[in-house]
Every structure is written in structure tokens, then in C-alpha cells.
Amino acid sequence: LYNYTKRERFIYFPDKEERIKHSMHFDGKTVVVIIDGSEQGVAKPSQKWLEQFLYSTKKGKHTFIILLVCAPDGTIYYVSPSY
């Protein structure tokens, strides 16, 4: 993925040979990366703008979001900061 406003990569993907080395076959297809997100509950912020930013309608509470990108064999490519 690429951040076009800052012109920088924020998720690094290894080259094709490296991805294939850590891949696996599932249901007739080759899986090279798994991307998953998780929400971690936090206390309600005192600042109104931050309260609105962190509120998750999905969870019904205030949360941080964490993104993880890994290979099927468990090799971790990226863990985002909480936001």
C-alpha cells in the first residue's frame, strides 16, 4: 500500500520470491499474505473530537484499531501503530 499524500510506503511487501517462499496453497489458490485488523477497547477520552474519532459503532465503545499483515507461515510483514 502507498500513502500518496506523503509519497511513502507504509506497508512493506517483500519481493515475489520471498512471498512465494512463505506462501501456502488453500482451496486451489496460492495465499501469499493475510491482512487482519483488530479493535482494542480504550477508556472514553475527555476531549470531544477524540471521543468521536475513537468511537466504534461496530463495537459500541471506544477503540484503537491495529492492522497486521503476515504470511501464512506466520512471518510478520507489518504491524500498524494503534490509531
Side-chain angles (χ1 to χ4, degrees), residues 16-56:
K16 183 177 180 179
E17 292 163 359
E18 182 72 15
R19 290 191 316 264
I20 295 299
K21 182 172 88 173
H22 296 285
S23 69
M24 67 177 281
H25 295 283
F26 177 77
D27 201 21
K29 296 183 171 58
T30 303
V31 178
V32 293
V33 296
I34 299 168
I35 301 173
D36 188 29
S38 179
E39 293 187 63
Q40 176 182 355
V42 296
K44 182 178 177 180
S46 59
Q47 297 174 330
K48 189 69 173 170
W49 71 270
L50 192 54
E51 178 185 342
Q52 292 174 343
F53 180 73
L54 293 177
Y55 187 76
S56 168

